[in-house]
Structure formats: C-alpha cells, structure tokens
Amino acid sequence: QVQLVESGGGLVQAGGSLRLSCAASGSIDSINAMGWYRQAPGKQRELVALIPKGGSTNYADSVKGRFTGSRDYAKNTVYLQMNSLKLEDTAVYYCYANRYASSGLLYASWGQGTQVTVSS
C-alpha cells in the first residue's frame, strides 16, 4: 500500500503561479508511475501530468508549456509547478501513483486532493 500526502493548494490570481507537492510513504519501491489528476466542478477527472519511473513527463495538451511535473526519488516526492494559471485551471488536484501486480492488474493510489482556485 502507498500513502500520498499533498500540499501547496490555495487561491491565486490569473497569470500567477503555484507549486504542489506530494510525499509518498509505504511501499515506495513498488511505485511505477506518479503524477497528477484534476477534477473541475461538473467535469470528469482528467490527467494533468504523468511521470513513469525513470522516464520523462507526459502532459495534457491544455497545460503544455505552462505546467512542469517532476520527481525527486531521494525524497519520494512528486511536484507540479503551475505557471500562467487560468480560470479554467480551477479544480481539485489529486496526486496519483500506480503499480502493476504480477497478474497484470493495475493498482492506483490517490492523495486526498487539494483545492486550487484561480481568481479573476
């Protein structure tokens, strides 16, 4: 089991920046990919950024050039640097981690979620 604890959410003006952090504990060595999802009011949860272990970050088209995801393996932590924030970035942001069992079944772990609100 992997536990994920997030921090860094809050209220920010459009055009501003915010940095989210997520610290993992538990079965750290079993983690493959880590990343971030978000869910805006009235919308489905969507992938924001995903980082496979030892690989480069994959981004949703809507955040490319504005958001940067990164991992610090020594600290068991994943980050999301959000720049040039827009009103439509307002959402609950969830830290994510996954692993594959020997059966091939994917197991996902989720953080508690942190609110990001972008104001005009």
Side-chain angles (χ1 to χ4, degrees):
Q1 185 69 19
V2 173
Q3 293 78 46
L4 304 172
V5 179
E6 299 163 318
S7 62
L11 177 65
V12 65
Q13 291 184 332
S17 297
L18 210 58
R19 194 184 206 203
L20 307 182
S21 300
C22 174
S25 62
S27 301
I28 301 300
D29 292 343
S30 71
I31 296 174
N32 182 9
M34 293 190 73
W36 298 88
Y37 284 72
R38 68 185 181 186
Q39 188 165 22
K43 290 185 174 290
Q44 299 293 315
R45 187 174 298 186
E46 65 174 346
L47 178 68
V48 178
L50 189 67
I51 313 172
K53 187 175 183 178
S56 58
T57 309
N58 305 284
Y59 298 98
D61 288 341
S62 59
V63 306
K64 285 181 179 177
R66 300 189 298 119
F67 290 11
T68 303
S70 60
R71 291 175 69 170
D72 186 331
Y73 293 93
K75 295 182 178 180
N76 304 314
T77 300
V78 61
Y79 304 94
L80 186 67
Q81 178 67 46
M82 303 183 292
N83 299 325
S84 302
L85 282 160
K86 304 175 179 180
L87 293 179
E88 53 263 42
D89 294 319
T90 295
V92 177
Y93 284 71
Y94 296 92
C95 185
Y96 167 88
N98 69 29
R99 65 178 183 89
Y100 284 95
S102 58
S103 65
L105 189 65
L106 179 69
Y107 289 92
S109 298
W110 297 92
Q112 79 282 0
T114 185
Q115 177 71 47
V116 172
T117 302
V118 183
S119 67
S120 60

